[in-house]
Amino acid sequence: MENKPLIGQPLSRLEGYEKVTGNAQYAAEYNIPDLLYGYVVNSTITKGKILSVDVSDVLALQGVVKIFTHENRPSLAWFDLQYADMDAPPGTVFKPLSDNIIRYNGQPIALIVAEDLETARYASTLIKFVYEEETFNTILSQNLDKAREPKIGMSTPLKPPPPKPTGNFEQAYASAEFKTEAKYRHGTEHHNPLELFATTTIYEGDGKLTIYDKTQGTINNQLYVANVFGLKYKNVRVLAPYVGGAFGSGLRPQYQLFLCVLASLELKRNVRVTLERKQMFSFGHRPQVIQSLRFGADNSGKVTAMNHNAVGETSAYEDYNEILVPWSHKLYPAANTLFEYKLAPLDLATPIDMRAPGGVSGMHAIECIMDELAYKLNMDPLDFRLNNYSEIDPSTQKPFTSKELKQCYKKGAEKFGWHMRNPKPASTKKGNRLVGWGMATGIWDAYQFPARAEVILTKEGRLEVHNATTDIGTGTMTVMTQIAADEFGISVDEVSFFYGDSKKPFSMFQGGSAITASTGTAIVAVIRELKKKIIKKIKDSPNSPFKEIPEDQIVFRNSGLSVKKQPDLFITFQELIKANKGKEFKAAKLAGPDLLKLRKFSKATHSASFVEVEVDKDLGTITVTRAVTAVAAGKIINPKTARSQILGSMIWGISKALHEETLIDPNLGKYMNANLGEYHIPVHADIPEMEVIFAEENDGLINELGVKGVGEIGMTAIPAAIANAVFHATGKRINDLPIHFDKLMGHHGY
């Protein structure tokens, strides 16, 4: 029986059983003998210096093994390094315990190591610090005058500066028949994945370490540890077979990794350090952003002028930046553009990428001002976008490798019933509630990174696939297994995918919706290399019936080789191994984007979201009652896991629009709701039934698989669609996210 194609099939996650039964082990769950426990002590001031440390009470406590502070920290290799990991932004990377300077509230300033976690935690209450406090700045809106151009660094190619102006924006905007301007504010958000950040370091001796870590990049953390501690790369092994969510927080090594390895090397013992939920708020986050936009259009409904100015938050020691402002010109043609982006250094930890970084914040502002301009033109918001549709990238004048956004608009609108919309704001009522419909466009880059994969046809006739990538809960293991099985003509059960291990062939960290395109393409490339080796071997074998068969006529299927026009001419993999004297077949290959070809094109994923909200006329409370998102992301390898990714993004979009915000006390410089009780995230009652639609998009240019990522694209349109729906329901524009009910309380839309 022929193997059915596996690409495009909705397979359930192969590791799902392990996770739901609790058999999957995460970084803090390995049963390691002779284990010490570390507990991190964090700064209680926001800026200043540590004048003295009193550890006498801690040392007197039975079970305490060691206290690490800046006063006794061992000498390290990395103090002369500007970059210690592949995701470090420009600036001076934060070095825990390097000195007595306090740079932000919650900064790690000590590690207490004890025989058990309870003792270490209790001991943290006994250590005494004397501080000298300094004036600090933590509120973006109060520091806009300090904003400056971002510095150039290693990450700049992935996050380039805004494009240069085109035409004459000021003149075009002044003379535009229709124009609108608005300011948008986004508060701080923290990632809060289910799994806490944790590291378990096993001391192997002779400078060798085995590390179980919560990370999105095993090789990135291997490089970090080796660079920081002056170890040989081959002596540092980082494992992350299961990761309980990350969403960008695990792209960079977090400080518990540094402290755990420091203690393990110094004590020559196995050590575990796990952060508490409150400490999950003491490192990277989605930054505060303030955006000012001015858009103009002519009386035919064509956008003629676009200005997008954004000021983002960064730390005082690194320049974290996002791609916020150029998205509008990748969607809508306008002859006159002006894009500006600056950073304001604040006394906070360096922000870090958070699902759809820059894109979801930037597109909220862009799609809300497009909605407002549509109302001024008296045009349907969807018609307005279609009127400004471009088949090419207006910002570069290059064609897209593929673009099926029109299909997203059509299918999404049909499913939602957009044609039945009453355009008048506050015109649709349901009892005591005002009903609003809103829509928005989404866009995200289609990244592909270099990746190396190794494959082995084993003596048992199974296929092993090896790559260092992680699976942060996205279904990577399942999708990679599908790709390998499909390419090699075998069933999923005959493939073993080995991953989450820095000893495996190279992979970038899992982020940017890039891993399927990156590792998946590498798997296709290396299996094709393996096929060539096998075909050569079988054709060169004495008395081989395949000797005269053209290579392109030999196919891999049903766990063996056959000929297209002679299906009875067949050899199993088991027979093939026997003919190879019982030896395995191996191949390894590095694959990456075809930059020479792709430089002629623009590449992106696209989406369209349609949302219905109900607003209580008296209380101002907002409920999302329906949501539809249509996505064009090339070939969908697994519709089930891909749909799950889009649903997760849509939920987060609802959360960003209506719930999530970390609040800073300006007098303390401290996050006041650093817990899951007061950091609001949606619960089941907040989320309606949601529809996900995948447009048919055949992209023969983007990569060998024709795939684009789906991790971020489902989020980029949702916040704007909700804000636009709130306006349609009430007649009131709320441009600050999250939208708080008090701004709508008692507002009847009249």
Side-chain angles (χ1 to χ4, degrees), residues 216-454:
Q216 290 174 249
T218 58
I219 287 180
N220 192 33
N221 282 17
Q222 176 198 34
L223 295 173
Y224 173 85
V225 170
N227 287 337
V228 167
F229 295 98
L231 304 175
K232 295 179 180 178
Y233 295 135
K234 66 178 182 178
N235 287 344
V236 178
R237 185 182 188 186
V238 178
L239 295 139
Y242 296 102
V243 180
F247 315 111
S249 61
L251 291 175
R252 298 189 71 182
Q254 298 301 352
Y255 62 74
Q256 94 289 337
L257 171 63
F258 169 86
L259 294 171
C260 187
V261 172
L262 174 75
S264 180
L265 287 172
E266 181 71 7
L267 299 173
K268 296 181 171 54
R269 295 277 300 275
N270 303 332
V271 179
R272 175 173 295 155
V273 177
T274 304
L275 300 186
E276 293 183 332
R277 180 58 62 180
K278 182 178 181 180
Q279 293 170 326
M280 296 287 285
F281 290 79
S282 62
F283 51 82
H285 51 272
R286 195 193 299 278
Q288 306 166 66
V289 177
I290 295 175
Q291 304 175 76
S292 300
L293 282 76
R294 294 179 291 166
F295 277 29
D298 61 22
N299 54 20
S300 70
K302 296 287 188 182
V303 177
T304 57
M306 297 189 298
N307 169 223
H308 191 161
N309 176 288
V311 179
E313 159 212 333
T314 191
S315 68
Y317 51 91
E318 287 180 307
D319 268 22
Y320 170 83
N321 66 305
E322 296 182 316
I323 302 177
L324 273 159
V325 300
W327 300 106
S328 58
H329 208 202
K330 287 179 73 72
L331 285 168
Y332 309 119
N336 307 280
T337 64
L338 177 61
F339 302 110
E340 303 161 292
Y341 176 62
K342 292 183 177 181
L343 294 176
L346 301 177
D347 297 310
L348 297 166
T350 303
I352 196 170
D353 288 347
M354 190 180 206
R355 202 169 200 168
V360 68
S361 301
M363 285 306 296
H364 164 247
I366 293 163
E367 287 300 286
C368 283
I369 203 165
M370 285 290 288
D371 193 74
E372 190 169 348
L373 194 53
Y375 274 93
K376 288 198 172 186
L377 284 154
N378 198 28
M379 288 184 71
D380 180 276
L382 177 55
D383 291 341
F384 181 47
R385 286 163 176 81
L386 288 169
N387 195 49
N388 286 277
Y389 193 89
S390 176
E391 293 291 352
I392 66 168
D393 181 345
S395 66
T396 63
Q397 296 301 305
K398 295 178 181 179
F400 286 98
T401 59
S402 61
K403 182 182 179 182
E404 291 293 343
L405 177 56
K406 271 188 180 177
Q407 194 183 150
C408 294
Y409 286 144
K410 180 181 178 182
K411 289 187 173 182
E414 286 176 354
K415 174 65 73 172
F416 189 80
W418 184 259
H419 66 282
M420 296 186 292
R421 172 180 173 273
N422 184 333
K424 184 180 178 182
S427 61
T428 306
K429 300 179 180 65
K430 185 179 178 182
N432 196 48
R433 297 189 172 199
L434 297 166
V435 180
W437 289 6
M439 63 84 55
T441 309
I443 186 172
W444 185 250
D445 207 328
Y447 292 113
Q448 181 187 354
F449 302 134
R452 184 176 179 84
E454 180 185 43

Side-chain angles (χ1 to χ4, degrees), residues 706-748:
V707 300
K708 303 173 183 177
V710 294
E712 269 105 346
I713 186 59
M715 186 178 181
T716 55
I718 286 286
I722 291 172
N724 293 337
V726 168
F727 169 76
H728 182 239
T730 65
K732 187 171 184 179
R733 293 276 178 196
I734 310 294
N735 292 339
D736 294 352
L737 294 190
I739 300 174
H740 294 298
F741 70 91
D742 58 304
K743 294 186 178 180
L744 292 170
M745 188 178 291
H747 182 81
H748 289 228

Side-chain angles (χ1 to χ4, degrees), residues 414-623:
E414 286 176 354
K415 174 65 73 172
F416 189 80
W418 184 259
H419 66 282
M420 296 186 292
R421 172 180 173 273
N422 184 333
K424 184 180 178 182
S427 61
T428 306
K429 300 179 180 65
K430 185 179 178 182
N432 196 48
R433 297 189 172 199
L434 297 166
V435 180
W437 289 6
M439 63 84 55
T441 309
I443 186 172
W444 185 250
D445 207 328
Y447 292 113
Q448 181 187 354
F449 302 134
R452 184 176 179 84
E454 180 185 43
V455 289
I456 303 171
L457 180 59
T458 69
K459 296 176 182 179
E460 295 74 29
R462 293 182 55 79
L463 185 70
E464 289 185 2
V465 184
H466 298 262
N467 178 262
T469 188
T470 56
D471 185 339
I472 57 176
T474 57
T476 300
M477 177 190 182
T478 305
V479 168
M480 298 306 164
T481 303
Q482 282 180 260
I483 292 170
D486 220 41
E487 186 65 32
F488 206 56
I490 56 179
S491 69
V492 167
D493 294 337
E494 295 171 289
V495 178
S496 297
F497 180 54
F498 296 93
Y499 66 104
D501 184 348
S502 64
K503 292 290 186 184
K504 301 299 179 186
F506 176 80
S507 172
M508 288 283 283
F509 36 69
Q510 185 169 28
S513 300
I515 282 298
T516 301
S518 305
T519 299
T521 299
I523 289 172
V524 169
V526 73
I527 289 178
R528 290 178 181 176
E529 188 75 14
L530 181 67
K531 286 179 176 180
K532 289 181 181 179
K533 285 188 175 184
I534 291 172
I535 290 173
K536 185 178 187 305
K537 177 66 180 179
I538 199 170
K539 287 174 69 68
D540 291 346
S541 298
N543 304 316
S544 170
F546 291 85
K547 189 178 291 288
E548 302 302 325
I549 304 295
E551 186 175 328
D552 61 1
Q553 291 299 305
I554 300 174
V555 294
F556 288 69
R557 59 189 176 197
N558 301 333
S559 304
L561 282 76
S562 67
V563 179
K564 286 181 181 179
K565 297 180 180 180
Q566 298 174 256
D568 293 337
L569 185 53
F570 182 80
I571 181 173
T572 67
F573 289 147
Q574 295 276 14
E575 293 170 327
L576 181 67
I577 293 292
K578 186 177 179 181
N580 197 39
K581 300 179 181 179
K583 296 179 182 177
E584 300 172 333
F585 286 88
K586 296 182 180 181
K589 194 173 183 64
L590 177 71
D594 188 341
L595 298 177
L596 191 63
K597 177 179 70 175
L598 291 175
R599 69 179 182 179
K600 301 175 184 177
F601 298 90
S602 190
K603 47 190 178 61
T605 52
H606 297 90
S607 68
S609 291
F610 298 81
V611 170
E612 178 185 79
V613 302
E614 293 180 1
V615 181
D616 189 288
K617 290 203 293 184
D618 299 316
L619 301 178
T621 53
I622 304 166
T623 304

Side-chain angles (χ1 to χ4, degrees), residues 613-733:
V613 302
E614 293 180 1
V615 181
D616 189 288
K617 290 203 293 184
D618 299 316
L619 301 178
T621 53
I622 304 166
T623 304
V624 177
T625 50
R626 286 195 297 139
V628 175
T629 292
V631 175
K635 184 181 292 182
I636 303 301
I637 302 295
N638 185 325
K640 189 172 187 178
T641 56
R643 178 179 179 272
S644 179
Q645 285 293 288
I646 301 301
L647 286 175
S649 287
M650 292 172 71
I651 291 169
W652 204 336
I654 293 171
S655 189
K656 180 176 177 61
L658 302 177
H659 299 274
E660 283 190 60
E661 183 178 22
T662 326
L663 300 172
I664 302 175
D665 186 318
N667 299 310
L668 299 176
K670 175 184 179 181
Y671 297 118
M672 301 305 293
N673 56 329
N675 58 76
L676 292 186
E678 296 170 301
Y679 181 84
H680 293 169
I681 57 175
V683 296
H684 287 295
D686 298 309
I687 304 301
E689 288 295 319
M690 299 188 294
E691 298 276 354
V692 176
I693 301 166
F694 290 109
E696 293 182 13
E697 186 173 62
N698 299 312
D699 195 325
L701 296 168
I702 192 76
N703 51 54
E704 291 290 331
L705 284 164
V707 300
K708 303 173 183 177
V710 294
E712 269 105 346
I713 186 59
M715 186 178 181
T716 55
I718 286 286
I722 291 172
N724 293 337
V726 168
F727 169 76
H728 182 239
T730 65
K732 187 171 184 179
R733 293 276 178 196

